[in-house]
Amino acid sequence: MNIELRHLRYFVAVAEELHFGRAAARLNISQPPLSQQIQILEQQIGARLFARTNRSVSLTPAGKLFLADSRQILLQVEDAAARAARLHQGETGELRIGFTSSAPFIKAVSDTLSRFRRQYPDVHIQTRESNTREQIAPLSEGALDLGLMRKTQLPDTLEWQVILREPLMAMVHRDHPLANRESVSLAEMVLEPLVFFDPHVGTGLYDDILGLLRRFGTPTITQEVGEAMTIIGLVSAGLGASILPASFKKVQLNEMRWLPISDEDAVSEMWLVWSRHHDQTQAALRFREQLLAAAMVDFFAENTRKNVR
Protein backbone atom coordinates (compact mmCIF):
# COMPACT_ATOMS: atom_id res chain seq x y z
CA MET A 1 0.00 0.00 0.00
CA ASN A 2 1.04 3.58 -0.63
CA ILE A 3 -1.49 5.52 1.42
CA GLU A 4 -0.46 9.08 2.19
CA LEU A 5 -1.70 11.41 4.91
CA ARG A 6 -3.33 13.60 2.28
CA HIS A 7 -5.47 10.63 1.23
CA LEU A 8 -6.73 10.34 4.80
CA ARG A 9 -7.46 14.08 4.98
CA TYR A 10 -9.34 13.94 1.65
CA PHE A 11 -11.32 10.94 2.82
CA VAL A 12 -12.25 12.52 6.17
CA ALA A 13 -13.42 15.71 4.45
CA VAL A 14 -15.70 13.78 2.07
CA ALA A 15 -16.94 11.53 4.90
CA GLU A 16 -17.85 14.54 7.04
CA GLU A 17 -19.44 16.56 4.24
CA LEU A 18 -20.97 13.57 2.36
CA HIS A 19 -20.66 15.76 -0.70
CA PHE A 20 -17.69 15.87 -3.06
CA GLY A 21 -18.24 19.50 -4.08
CA ARG A 22 -18.38 20.82 -0.52
CA ALA A 23 -15.41 18.64 0.48
CA ALA A 24 -13.37 19.97 -2.47
CA ALA A 25 -14.17 23.57 -1.48
CA ARG A 26 -13.18 22.83 2.14
CA LEU A 27 -9.85 21.40 0.93
CA ASN A 28 -9.27 24.23 -1.59
CA ILE A 29 -8.94 21.81 -4.49
CA SER A 30 -11.18 21.12 -7.49
CA GLN A 31 -13.65 18.25 -7.42
CA PRO A 32 -12.24 15.95 -10.17
CA PRO A 33 -8.82 15.47 -8.52
CA LEU A 34 -10.56 14.81 -5.21
CA SER A 35 -12.76 12.12 -6.72
CA GLN A 36 -9.69 10.61 -8.39
CA GLN A 37 -7.72 10.49 -5.12
CA ILE A 38 -10.64 8.83 -3.30
CA GLN A 39 -10.78 6.18 -6.01
CA ILE A 40 -7.03 5.59 -5.68
CA LEU A 41 -7.48 5.24 -1.91
CA GLU A 42 -10.25 2.67 -2.36
CA GLN A 43 -8.06 0.73 -4.78
CA GLN A 44 -5.17 0.77 -2.30
CA ILE A 45 -7.42 -0.51 0.47
CA GLY A 46 -9.33 -2.96 -1.71
CA ALA A 47 -12.73 -1.84 -0.43
CA ARG A 48 -15.43 0.68 -1.32
CA LEU A 49 -15.57 3.45 1.23
CA PHE A 50 -18.49 5.40 -0.22
CA ALA A 51 -21.79 4.41 -1.74
CA ARG A 52 -22.44 6.95 -4.51
CA THR A 53 -25.62 7.78 -6.42
CA ASN A 54 -26.50 10.77 -8.56
CA ARG A 55 -28.23 12.29 -5.54
CA SER A 56 -26.22 11.27 -2.52
CA VAL A 57 -22.98 10.03 -1.00
CA SER A 58 -22.92 7.75 2.04
CA LEU A 59 -20.36 5.73 3.93
CA THR A 60 -20.20 1.98 3.51
CA PRO A 61 -19.59 -0.17 6.62
CA ALA A 62 -15.91 -0.31 5.60
CA GLY A 63 -15.98 3.46 5.18
CA LYS A 64 -17.38 4.00 8.70
CA LEU A 65 -14.65 1.83 10.21
CA PHE A 66 -11.96 3.53 8.14
CA LEU A 67 -13.25 6.98 9.17
CA ALA A 68 -12.75 6.25 12.88
CA ASP A 69 -9.24 4.92 12.26
CA SER A 70 -8.34 7.80 9.93
CA ARG A 71 -9.36 10.39 12.49
CA GLN A 72 -7.26 8.66 15.12
CA ILE A 73 -4.23 8.46 12.81
CA LEU A 74 -4.46 12.15 11.88
CA LEU A 75 -4.85 13.11 15.53
CA GLN A 76 -1.79 11.03 16.47
CA VAL A 77 0.25 12.70 13.73
CA GLU A 78 -0.81 16.16 14.95
CA ASP A 79 -0.01 15.22 18.55
CA ALA A 80 3.40 13.83 17.54
CA ALA A 81 4.21 17.01 15.61
CA ALA A 82 3.10 19.18 18.53
CA ARG A 83 5.21 17.17 20.99
CA ALA A 84 8.25 17.40 18.73
CA ALA A 85 7.76 21.16 18.34
CA ARG A 86 7.43 21.67 22.10
CA LEU A 87 10.57 19.63 22.72
CA HIS A 88 12.46 21.64 20.08
CA GLN A 89 11.25 24.88 21.68
CA GLY A 90 12.38 23.74 25.13
CA GLU A 91 8.88 23.38 26.57
CA THR A 92 9.20 19.64 27.32
CA GLY A 93 11.95 17.11 27.83
CA GLU A 94 14.61 16.79 30.49
CA LEU A 95 17.16 19.22 31.90
CA ARG A 96 20.07 17.62 33.76
CA ILE A 97 21.97 19.96 36.06
CA GLY A 98 24.91 19.23 38.33
CA PHE A 99 25.59 21.59 41.21
CA THR A 100 27.81 22.02 44.22
CA SER A 101 26.29 22.20 47.69
CA SER A 102 26.44 26.00 47.78
CA ALA A 103 24.69 26.57 44.43
CA PRO A 104 21.09 26.47 45.81
CA PHE A 105 22.05 29.22 48.30
CA ILE A 106 22.90 31.60 45.44
CA LYS A 107 19.99 33.91 44.67
CA ALA A 108 20.40 33.90 40.88
CA VAL A 109 20.41 30.08 40.86
CA SER A 110 17.40 29.60 43.15
CA ASP A 111 15.43 32.35 41.37
CA THR A 112 16.16 30.85 37.96
CA LEU A 113 15.20 27.33 39.04
CA SER A 114 11.91 28.61 40.46
CA ARG A 115 11.10 30.78 37.43
CA PHE A 116 12.03 28.06 34.92
CA ARG A 117 9.81 25.49 36.66
CA ARG A 118 6.87 27.90 36.55
CA GLN A 119 7.40 28.78 32.89
CA TYR A 120 8.11 25.23 31.68
CA PRO A 121 6.27 22.83 34.01
CA ASP A 122 6.57 19.97 31.50
CA VAL A 123 10.38 20.04 31.53
CA HIS A 124 11.68 17.50 34.03
CA ILE A 125 14.57 19.08 35.93
CA GLN A 126 16.97 16.40 37.13
CA THR A 127 19.45 17.80 39.65
CA ARG A 128 22.56 16.02 40.84
CA GLU A 129 24.53 17.36 43.80
CA SER A 130 28.22 16.70 43.34
CA ASN A 131 31.46 18.53 43.93
CA THR A 132 33.33 20.41 41.25
CA ARG A 133 35.64 17.62 40.08
CA GLU A 134 32.84 15.03 40.01
CA GLN A 135 30.92 17.12 37.46
CA ILE A 136 33.67 17.34 34.86
CA ALA A 137 33.38 13.83 33.36
CA PRO A 138 29.53 13.78 33.12
CA LEU A 139 29.58 17.19 31.45
CA SER A 140 32.25 16.12 28.96
CA GLU A 141 30.38 12.89 28.19
CA GLY A 142 26.98 14.57 27.80
CA ALA A 143 25.45 12.92 30.88
CA LEU A 144 24.87 16.41 32.32
CA ASP A 145 23.58 19.38 30.32
CA LEU A 146 24.85 22.08 32.67
CA GLY A 147 27.07 22.23 35.73
CA LEU A 148 27.33 24.77 38.54
CA MET A 149 30.76 24.55 40.11
CA ARG A 150 33.54 26.51 41.74
CA LYS A 151 36.56 27.81 39.86
CA THR A 152 38.80 24.97 38.74
CA GLN A 153 40.96 23.75 35.86
CA LEU A 154 38.71 22.48 33.06
CA PRO A 155 39.51 20.33 30.02
CA ASP A 156 39.18 21.74 26.50
CA THR A 157 35.91 19.80 26.11
CA LEU A 158 34.08 22.26 28.37
CA GLU A 159 33.09 25.91 28.21
CA TRP A 160 32.28 28.09 31.19
CA GLN A 161 31.07 31.49 32.27
CA VAL A 162 31.28 33.19 35.67
CA ILE A 163 27.85 33.74 37.21
CA LEU A 164 29.00 35.00 40.61
CA ARG A 165 32.02 36.41 42.38
CA GLU A 166 31.25 36.36 46.07
CA PRO A 167 33.32 37.21 49.14
CA LEU A 168 34.78 34.52 51.33
CA MET A 169 33.81 34.67 55.00
CA ALA A 170 35.45 33.34 58.13
CA MET A 171 33.54 31.18 60.61
CA VAL A 172 34.39 30.92 64.30
CA HIS A 173 32.64 29.66 67.42
CA ARG A 174 30.74 32.36 69.33
CA ASP A 175 33.23 32.08 72.24
CA HIS A 176 36.25 32.47 69.97
CA PRO A 177 38.47 35.55 70.62
CA LEU A 178 37.72 36.78 67.08
CA ALA A 179 33.96 36.32 67.35
CA ASN A 180 33.16 39.98 68.14
CA ARG A 181 35.45 41.47 65.51
CA GLU A 182 33.95 43.39 62.58
CA SER A 183 36.30 41.57 60.21
CA VAL A 184 39.38 39.37 60.13
CA SER A 185 42.29 38.97 57.73
CA LEU A 186 43.68 35.93 55.95
CA ALA A 187 46.90 36.47 57.88
CA GLU A 188 44.94 35.98 61.11
CA MET A 189 42.99 32.99 59.84
CA VAL A 190 46.09 31.07 58.75
CA LEU A 191 47.09 30.94 62.42
CA GLU A 192 43.85 29.23 63.46
CA PRO A 193 43.27 25.46 63.64
CA LEU A 194 40.98 24.90 60.69
CA VAL A 195 38.11 22.59 59.85
CA PHE A 196 38.26 22.13 56.09
CA PHE A 197 37.60 19.87 53.12
CA ASP A 198 39.37 16.58 52.64
CA PRO A 199 41.72 17.11 49.64
CA HIS A 200 40.44 13.90 48.04
CA VAL A 201 36.82 15.08 47.99
CA GLY A 202 37.37 17.15 44.86
CA THR A 203 35.80 20.47 45.76
CA GLY A 204 37.09 23.49 43.86
CA LEU A 205 37.16 25.51 47.10
CA TYR A 206 40.06 23.46 48.48
CA ASP A 207 42.74 24.83 46.15
CA ASP A 208 41.18 28.30 46.03
CA ILE A 209 41.03 28.97 49.75
CA LEU A 210 44.22 27.19 50.76
CA GLY A 211 46.05 29.02 47.98
CA LEU A 212 45.01 32.33 49.51
CA LEU A 213 46.00 31.27 53.02
CA ARG A 214 49.41 29.91 51.98
CA ARG A 215 50.54 33.41 51.06
CA PHE A 216 50.65 34.09 54.81
CA GLY A 217 51.94 30.78 56.11
CA THR A 218 51.11 27.11 56.31
CA PRO A 219 47.49 26.42 57.33
CA THR A 220 46.91 23.87 60.09
CA ILE A 221 43.94 21.67 59.26
CA THR A 222 42.83 19.70 62.28
CA GLN A 223 39.62 18.23 60.83
CA GLU A 224 39.08 17.12 57.22
CA VAL A 225 35.52 16.47 56.08
CA GLY A 226 33.60 15.93 52.86
CA GLU A 227 30.75 18.44 53.03
CA ALA A 228 30.42 22.16 53.66
CA MET A 229 27.50 21.59 56.03
CA THR A 230 29.72 19.31 58.12
CA ILE A 231 32.31 22.08 58.31
CA ILE A 232 29.64 24.47 59.59
CA GLY A 233 28.49 21.92 62.15
CA LEU A 234 32.00 21.27 63.46
CA VAL A 235 32.81 24.98 63.72
CA SER A 236 29.60 25.49 65.70
CA ALA A 237 30.77 22.66 67.99
CA GLY A 238 34.01 24.53 68.66
CA LEU A 239 36.37 22.15 66.85
CA GLY A 240 38.06 24.88 64.83
CA ALA A 241 37.55 27.83 62.50
CA SER A 242 37.00 27.79 58.76
CA ILE A 243 36.38 29.80 55.59
CA LEU A 244 33.51 29.38 53.13
CA PRO A 245 31.82 31.51 50.43
CA ALA A 246 29.28 34.06 51.64
CA SER A 247 26.37 32.14 50.08
CA PHE A 248 26.62 29.69 53.00
CA LYS A 249 25.90 32.55 55.42
CA LYS A 250 22.21 31.70 55.00
CA VAL A 251 22.97 28.87 57.43
CA GLN A 252 22.77 30.63 60.80
CA LEU A 253 23.59 28.80 64.04
CA ASN A 254 23.56 30.39 67.50
CA GLU A 255 26.88 28.79 68.36
CA MET A 256 28.75 30.28 65.39
CA ARG A 257 29.70 33.69 63.99
CA TRP A 258 30.27 34.70 60.36
CA LEU A 259 32.99 37.34 59.87
CA PRO A 260 33.89 39.28 56.71
CA ILE A 261 37.47 38.87 55.47
CA SER A 262 39.21 42.19 54.88
CA ASP A 263 41.50 41.02 52.05
CA GLU A 264 40.09 42.31 48.74
CA ASP A 265 40.99 39.20 46.78
CA ALA A 266 39.29 36.84 49.25
CA VAL A 267 36.58 35.93 46.75
CA SER A 268 35.24 32.76 45.17
CA GLU A 269 33.76 32.31 41.71
CA MET A 270 30.79 30.17 40.79
CA TRP A 271 30.86 28.94 37.18
CA LEU A 272 28.18 27.73 34.81
CA VAL A 273 29.76 24.98 32.69
CA TRP A 274 28.62 23.07 29.59
CA SER A 275 30.05 20.83 26.88
CA ARG A 276 31.66 22.17 23.71
CA HIS A 277 30.97 19.02 21.72
CA HIS A 278 27.44 17.96 22.71
CA ASP A 279 24.50 19.89 21.28
CA GLN A 280 22.54 21.72 23.97
CA THR A 281 18.81 21.05 24.16
CA GLN A 282 16.56 24.07 23.83
CA ALA A 283 15.63 23.64 27.50
CA ALA A 284 19.30 23.84 28.50
CA LEU A 285 19.83 26.90 26.31
CA ARG A 286 16.79 28.64 27.82
CA PHE A 287 17.93 27.86 31.37
CA ARG A 288 21.47 29.03 30.64
CA GLU A 289 20.17 32.27 29.16
CA GLN A 290 17.87 32.91 32.12
CA LEU A 291 20.56 32.15 34.70
CA LEU A 292 23.13 34.43 33.08
CA ALA A 293 20.54 37.22 32.88
CA ALA A 294 19.61 36.76 36.55
CA ALA A 295 23.27 36.75 37.55
CA MET A 296 23.82 40.00 35.67
CA VAL A 297 20.83 41.62 37.40
CA ASP A 298 22.13 40.56 40.82
CA PHE A 299 25.62 41.82 39.95
CA PHE A 300 24.36 45.31 39.09
CA ALA A 301 22.05 45.37 42.12
CA GLU A 302 24.92 44.48 44.46
CA ASN A 303 27.22 47.10 42.96
CA THR A 304 24.48 49.72 43.23
CA ARG A 305 24.10 48.92 46.95
CA LYS A 306 27.87 49.23 47.45
CA ASN A 307 27.96 52.61 45.69
CA VAL A 308 25.06 53.87 47.79
CA ARG A 309 26.85 52.82 50.97
Side-chain angles (χ1 to χ4, degrees):
M1 288 187 185
N2 187 25
I3 298 174
E4 301 175 15
L5 287 178
R6 65 189 177 96
H7 292 137
L8 301 184
R9 294 191 181 97
Y10 292 168
F11 166 73
V12 170
V14 176
E16 290 177 349
E17 298 291 343
L18 292 178
H19 190 282
F20 277 83
R22 289 195 297 269
R26 172 174 152 183
L27 295 165
N28 291 319
I29 63 174
S30 59
Q31 183 174 332
L34 175 60
S35 299
Q36 183 181 26
Q37 292 301 317
I38 294 298
Q39 290 174 0
I40 291 173
L41 177 61
E42 289 177 322
Q43 291 170 3
Q44 289 283 329
I45 296 171
R48 290 184 61 204
L49 302 175
F50 296 104
R52 306 170 182 82
T53 69
N54 291 333
R55 295 179 177 271
S56 67
V57 175
S58 61
L59 284 166
T60 64
K64 292 178 182 178
L65 177 64
F66 192 69
L67 176 60
D69 289 341
S70 295
R71 283 172 170 161
Q72 185 177 2
I73 291 168
L74 291 173
L75 183 60
Q76 288 176 337
V77 171
E78 290 175 2
D79 287 346
R83 287 196 299 272
R86 293 190 69 207
L87 179 64
H88 176 71
Q89 293 162 9
E91 297 175 1
T92 62
E94 187 174 63
L95 176 60
R96 303 161 301 173
I97 305 174
F99 62 89
T100 61
S101 58
S102 60
F105 294 108
I106 295 171
K107 184 177 183 299
V109 175
S110 59
D111 286 354
T112 302
L113 282 167
S114 178
R115 186 185 309 111
F116 191 88
R117 187 175 292 280
R118 289 195 307 271
Q119 291 180 342
Y120 306 106
D122 294 328
V123 174
H124 174 61
I125 302 176
Q126 178 185 346
T127 57
R128 183 190 304 177
E129 182 179 350
S130 52
N131 63 52
T132 293
R133 292 179 196 166
E134 288 174 344
Q135 293 184 49
I136 292 175
L139 284 165
S140 298
E141 295 162 2
L144 285 176
D145 299 308
L146 298 169
L148 289 160
M149 64 178 67
R150 294 289 169 178
K151 177 182 177 181
T152 191
Q153 178 126 14
L154 293 177
D156 293 339
T157 55
L158 299 178
E159 294 190 40
W160 57 274
Q161 191 158 347
V162 177
I163 64 165
L164 177 71
R165 289 183 178 90
E166 61 176 334
L168 294 169
M169 297 194 74
M171 300 176 294
V172 297
H173 190 269
R174 67 182 179 185
D175 296 329
H176 193 283
L178 298 174
N180 295 319
R181 292 271 298 275
E182 290 188 3
S183 66
V184 296
S185 67
L186 291 171
E188 290 173 304
M189 290 302 295
V190 78
L191 302 176
E192 297 293 326
L194 298 176
V195 179
F196 206 54
F197 293 103
D198 186 317
H200 303 295
V201 168
T203 173
L205 290 172
Y206 184 89
D207 292 332
D208 252 8
I209 295 175
L210 288 191
L212 289 169
L213 289 171
R214 284 175 180 139
R215 295 183 313 185
F216 303 97
T218 302
T220 301
I221 300 176
T222 58
Q223 301 284 330
E224 292 183 342
V225 300
E227 300 289 341
M229 297 304 292
T230 308
I231 292 176
I232 294 173
L234 292 180
V235 172
S236 69
L239 296 186
S242 195
I243 297 174
L244 283 177
S247 51
F248 282 107
K249 190 182 176 183
K250 291 184 178 180
V251 180
Q252 294 287 344
L253 299 176
N254 291 332
E255 297 82 7
M256 191 184 73
R257 299 290 181 266
W258 291 93
L259 302 172
I261 296 176
S262 56
D263 304 67
E264 290 186 2
D265 60 347
V267 297
S268 175
E269 293 181 352
M270 177 66 74
W271 291 359
L272 178 63
V273 183
W274 61 93
S275 171
R276 289 179 183 271
H277 305 304
H278 290 87
D279 290 338
Q280 292 271 279
T281 66
Q282 193 64 28
L285 291 172
R286 285 180 186 270
F287 186 89
R288 192 171 91 194
E289 178 182 313
Q290 289 189 9
L291 177 55
L292 293 175
M296 187 64 68
V297 169
D298 287 353
F299 171 79
F300 282 116
E302 178 62 25
N303 278 271
T304 299
R305 285 194 293 270
K306 288 181 179 178
N307 292 333
V308 169
R309 291 197 296 266

